[in-house]
Amino acid sequence: FVRYWDDAAKSPYLFNAENNQLVVYDDESSLKLKCEYVNDNGLAGIMFWQYASDPKEYLLDVVNEHLD
């Protein structure tokens, strides 16, 4: 897999050209941008998929740090 960044979606993704497989996910950078969007637009909250897949709470730490 090779990591790419979709600037329109402000999100990373992985692509394996050999198997034609695509994986889309959130990381710390994309969640920080989502938090900024929520704060800038007066929205009520944020979510990310599969909290259980973040056992070291890297994503939760970003949300706690950047969400007003």
Side-chain angles (χ1 to χ4, degrees), residues 14 18-19 27-28 33-34 46 50 54 57 60:
L14 303 173
E18 183 178 318
N19 299 323
D27 66 3
E28 294 95 320
L33 292 169
K34 286 182 179 185
I46 193 168
Q50 277 294 19
D54 185 32
E57 298 184 348
L60 187 58

Side-chain angles (χ1 to χ4, degrees), residues 4-18:
Y4 296 93
W5 181 262
D6 182 327
D7 199 44
K10 306 294 187 223
S11 183
Y13 64 95
L14 303 173
F15 185 69
N16 181 325
E18 183 178 318

